Amino acid sequence: MSVNKTHLTFDSNIGQTKPESIMNTDTICPFCCREQLEEIIAEDGPILLIKNKYPVLIDTFQTVIIETYGCDAELSTYPKEHLYKVIAFGIKKWQAMIQSGEFASVIFYKNHGPYSGGTIRHPHMQIVGLKHIDYTKNIGCESFRGIVIHEKNGVQLNLAVKPKNGFFEFNVVIDDLQYINQMADYIQIVAHYLLNNFYKGCKSYNLFFYQLEGRILVKVVPRFVTSPLFIGYSIPQVSNRAEEVVKEIQELYFAGRK
Ligand SMILES: [Zn+2]
């Protein structure tokens, strides 16, 4: 298995067949029409793992987790029980794909909102097995260190001091998977903060899951238009409001609970 490739190939022919206006609420949501879904791989109540209908990435295995029945639901407001179920289901399926040994690496991520790269509103995540690319070669440990916002049961929530792409990158670092619900709580808190209390009008975020040196790490990243300094010159920027944002989250979500 060759793992030396650096670029994924996008199948523009399949890309063209994907409905453009899927974000448009006039179009019927494919994830609401469950009886029409093909190739269901696994199911746990309202949570489904399916094969992606538009596998635009060549030499990959693309799957989608449909998180809930509710088209307008959002991870940031899931009841705890459902939140834990969704995150545990995702981690389990991601780990199983890694352990299958069929892929150079497996990526697991979520898009939410217009700037996130997502095209479907209905809450979902994606697990994609990459046959020839090992993403871990692109990721250093540096961007996972940060100002600690909260820590519990060996799980840490921090704000990156040297973000990979710039501005705000929240990291959740977990040593022991028995505390996976603590990780889910931190992810939900940051998603809620971003959509409700972060500047005005942050409508988009991504979740990215990584497995590096046996450890699971998650980035929760608010999305805006990407800085030209990063696109053109690979210079990541940091905000001088970082400390302020950390304090704000502590006061809003952890006051008296530290
Ligand atoms: Zn839907």
Side-chain angles (χ1 to χ4, degrees):
M1 174 160 60
S2 156
V3 296
N4 297 319
K5 286 203 177 177
T6 55
H7 290 61
L8 269 176
T9 307
F10 182 90
D11 187 330
S12 298
N13 296 318
I14 295 181
Q16 273 175 1
T17 65
K18 192 170 174 175
E20 281 284 333
S21 56
I22 230 159
M23 279 299 239
N24 183 334
T25 44
D26 296 341
T27 316
I28 293 164
C29 170
F31 296 165
C32 280
C33 309
R34 294 206 166 206
E35 62 288 349
Q36 283 168 35
L37 289 173
E38 295 154 25
E39 310 216 57
I40 294 171
I41 303 166
E43 191 168 2
D44 182 5
I47 309 168
L48 291 183
L49 178 69
I50 60 169
K51 254 172 125 173
N52 193 318
K53 203 178 169 189
Y54 301 97
V56 291
L57 303 172
I58 290 173
D59 287 337
T60 71
F61 179 60
Q62 291 180 249
T63 67
V64 177
I65 293 173
I66 302 174
E67 298 172 24
T68 169
Y69 295 119
C71 206
D72 294 321
E74 212 299 295
L75 186 137
S76 63
T77 56
Y78 287 164
K80 289 292 181 194
E81 196 190 334
H82 186 64
L83 172 76
Y84 297 154
K85 227 174 151 180
V86 168
I87 296 293
F89 182 92
I91 295 278
K92 193 172 143 198
K93 298 303 175 192
W94 175 49
Q95 290 293 310
M97 224 191 273
I98 293 170
Q99 278 150 23
S100 76
E102 288 175 44
F103 307 101
S105 65
V106 182
I107 54 175
F108 173 30
Y109 62 99
K110 175 179 174 67
N111 307 327
H112 172 80
Y115 289 116
S116 70
T119 48
I120 294 180
R121 169 66 185 82
H122 198 120
H124 66 286
M125 297 194 267
Q126 303 191 52
I127 304 176
V128 182
L130 310 176
K131 295 218 167 98
H132 305 302
I133 293 183
D134 178 2
Y135 74 83
T136 64
K137 289 181 180 168
N138 305 340
I139 312 288
C141 288
E142 200 177 39
S143 77
F144 293 98
R145 294 191 196 104
I147 311 166
V148 176
I149 300 169
H150 201 261
E151 224 162 358
K152 200 176 169 186
N153 297 328
V155 189
Q156 184 186 87
L157 171 63
N158 72 48
L159 176 59
V161 283
K162 291 195 174 172
K164 184 177 171 351
N165 298 300
F167 297 99
F168 294 90
E169 282 176 16
F170 297 89
N171 298 309
V172 183
V173 182
I174 181 165
D175 280 327
D176 184 345
L177 268 184
Q178 71 165 302
Y179 297 113
I180 186 175
N181 290 353
Q182 185 64 48
M183 180 182 83
D185 283 336
Y186 285 156
I187 291 169
Q188 186 177 50
I189 282 169
V190 176
H192 188 273
Y193 172 74
L194 294 175
L195 297 179
N196 297 280
N197 300 303
F198 183 64
Y199 291 122
K200 283 173 191 161
C202 173
K203 291 186 170 60
S204 306
Y205 72 88
N206 290 111
L207 298 182
F208 300 109
F209 294 80
Y210 308 85
Q211 183 162 285
L212 301 173
E213 293 164 7
R215 240 178 10 162
I216 288 177
L217 306 123
V218 189
K219 276 191 187 293
V220 190
V221 184
R223 294 294 308 276
F224 300 95
V225 170
T226 308
S227 155
L229 300 192
F230 190 73
I231 298 288
Y233 305 103
S234 298
I235 306 173
Q237 297 168 67
V238 289
S239 166
N240 62 2
R241 272 195 69 223
E243 297 273 357
E244 214 176 299
V245 163
V246 166
K247 279 203 186 77
E248 194 170 62
I249 297 176
Q250 286 170 336
E251 277 161 22
L252 284 168
Y253 298 94
F254 299 108
R257 289 201 274 137
K258 201 161 182 182

